[in-house]
């Protein structure tokens, strides 16, 4: 998985978090597959199509927090992730 400080787009802009679809019991293979990029300041009450319940790994950048909910529309239990 990339280090939190290394989360950047190809043009060098900062990324707040990256979620990955593929999972593995081996740490060096867990950040693989499709990637969902979360831009700084994003407020998304619904997961994009095909991502609901699919994220298996995530990396949160430095100076960022990722808040997730167990139900759509920011309902249910919440969990906060940081670098």
């Amino acid at each position: 998985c990339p280090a939190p400080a290394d989360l950047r787009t190809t043009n060098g802009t900062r990324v707040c978090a990256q979620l990955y679809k593929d999972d593995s019991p081996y740490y060096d293979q867990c950040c693989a597959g499709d990637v969902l990029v979360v831009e700084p300041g994003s407020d998304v009450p619904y997961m994009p199509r095909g991502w609901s319940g699919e994220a298996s790994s995530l990396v949160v950048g430095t100076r960022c927090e990722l808040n997730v909910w167990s139900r759509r529309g920011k309902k249910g239990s919440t969990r906060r992730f940081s670098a």
Side-chain angles (χ1 to χ4, degrees):
C1 295
D6 294 338
L7 291 185
R8 304 243 177 237
T9 62
T10 53
N11 68 3
T13 58
R14 193 168 75 93
V15 170
C16 194
Q18 289 185 174
L19 287 74
Y20 301 88
K21 273 197 177 179
D22 288 354
D23 192 12
S24 173
Y26 303 103
Y27 180 76
D28 62 337
Q29 298 174 13
C30 65
C31 291
D34 293 338
V35 178
L36 177 62
V37 174
V38 180
E39 302 290 332
S42 296
D43 184 11
V44 183
Y46 300 95
M47 290 294 281
R49 183 179 199 105
W51 276 92
S52 182
E54 294 296 320
S56 64
S57 304
L58 63 89
V59 177
V60 179
T62 55
R63 300 186 327 260
C64 278
E65 282 187 345
L66 178 68
N67 297 306
V68 296
W69 288 263
S70 61
R71 299 177 158 228
R72 61 184 179 168
K74 297 183 180 180
K75 302 219 187 284
S77 301
T78 186
R79 180 123 187 230
R80 180 174 295 162
F81 297 92
S82 63

